Amino acid sequence: TLSAGDILLTVSVTTVEFHSVGSGARLVITESAAYLDEHEEPTNRQQGTARWLDGLSAELARGTTLS
């Protein structure tokens, strides 16, 4: 869920999958969301997801390992 104060903006379910591909990996993200009372736009959710993917990319580029 995403809220602003006491106002519920969105409810979503996100699935994140990592698939082995050769010596690398493929990331698949599936998100189903409900946007409530026109308080939130899908583009805002897309921008937020892009920011955390950029952060993941930066960590992987630094050689950070996930355990």
Side-chain angles (χ1 to χ4, degrees), residues 11 26 61:
V11 177
R26 179 175 54 136

Side-chain angles (χ1 to χ4, degrees), residues 2-23:
L2 177 65
S3 301
D6 292 336
I7 300 172
L8 182 60
L9 305 175
T10 66
V11 177
S12 69
V13 174
T14 303
T15 303
V16 179
E17 302 172 69
F18 291 91
H19 299 276
S20 179
V21 178
S23 63

Side-chain angles (χ1 to χ4, degrees), residues 44-60:
N44 294 340
R45 179 72 79 158
Q46 291 169 341
Q47 291 169 354
T49 300
R51 279 194 299 271
W52 69 257
L53 285 172
D54 288 343
L56 175 60
S57 178
E59 288 299 316
L60 294 174

